[in-house]
Amino acid sequence: MRMIIWAFVGTDLVGGLLMDTRLPPVGRAIHLVWLFFSLTLTLGFCAMTARAPHVLDSDALRLRTGPLDAVTIPVSALGSVRSVHRSISGHGLRRVPDEEEAVVCSVGSTTHLVIDLKQPILVRLRKGEPVLAKRLYTAANEPAKAAHMLSSSIAEGACMGRS
C-alpha cells in the first residue's frame, strides 16, 4: 500500500509542478499551498503506516504496530511459532473475529506469523475489553527469518529451563 502512495507522491509532485507553470501568477500561490498540504498529508500517511520493528531480547518479545500499539510477551510464555499467511481485517492491536483467545498485532490486515503461547497473557486493547490471549497473529518483513529467530529463542529458553 505504501509503495502505491509513494508512486502517487511522485506523480503528484511532477504533475503539480508542471501544472503550476501553466497557471496565472495569482493561482500559483494557491496551487503551491494546495500542493504542499497534499504532499504533507500523503507523506504523513506513509510515515504513520511504517512498521516499527519488533524487538526480541533474552527476556521478552515486543510486537509493535507502528504508532498504533504494542504488546510485550515474556520469552518464557512463548510456545511455538509458525509462518502462516492470513488476512484479518482492521489495523493495530485487535481481536481475531473467529477465535476467542487470539489477538492480531499488525499495522494492516495481512499477517505472516502465528505465535502460540504456553501460558495466556493479558492483552489490553485500545477498543474493547482486555483479552486473555493464547495465540497472536503478527506481520513481519521477513516471516521465515522471524520464525527462525523466535523458534531459536524458544529452544534456548527450553534448554535453560532444564538446566
Side-chain angles (χ1 to χ4, degrees):
M1 179 171 55
R2 280 185 292 145
M3 291 305 294
I4 293 170
I5 299 298
W6 279 110
F8 283 137
V9 168
T11 58
D12 197 25
L13 184 60
V14 171
L17 293 175
L18 288 174
M19 180 188 272
D20 200 54
T21 62
R22 301 289 185 189
L23 291 174
V26 175
R28 284 184 187 157
I30 295 169
H31 183 257
L32 285 175
V33 169
W34 170 258
L35 187 62
F36 172 77
F37 283 118
S38 174
L39 291 174
T40 301
L41 289 173
T42 306
L43 293 173
F45 174 81
C46 287
M48 187 186 83
T49 59
R51 288 186 187 151
H54 304 310
V55 178
L56 174 64
D57 60 27
S58 60
D59 298 324
L61 169 65
R62 184 168 173 84
L63 299 174
R64 300 177 183 180
T65 59
L68 302 172
D69 220 337
V71 63
T72 302
I73 308 159
V75 170
S76 61
L78 297 174
S80 66
V81 63
R82 61 189 185 280
S83 184
V84 175
H85 185 80
R86 184 171 175 187
S87 182
I88 303 169
S89 64
H91 58 276
L93 194 56
R94 61 199 182 278
R95 289 179 177 269
V96 176
D98 55 348
E99 293 183 48
E100 283 286 319
E101 298 172 323
V103 174
V104 182
C105 184
S106 66
V107 174
S109 60
T110 303
T111 63
H112 307 107
L113 296 172
V114 178
I115 302 168
D116 291 309
L117 304 175
K118 286 188 236 176
Q119 55 200 29
I121 61 166
L122 186 65
V123 178
R124 299 189 190 286
L125 306 173
R126 286 186 309 139
K127 297 178 182 176
E129 296 292 318
V131 176
L132 200 57
K134 290 185 180 178
R135 176 174 290 157
L136 286 113
Y137 292 86
T138 191
N141 291 335
E142 297 178 32
K145 185 176 178 182
H148 178 71
M149 288 175 63
L150 286 171
S151 295
S152 296
S153 182
I154 293 167
E156 285 175 18
C159 289
M160 291 177 73
R162 284 190 230 139
S163 299

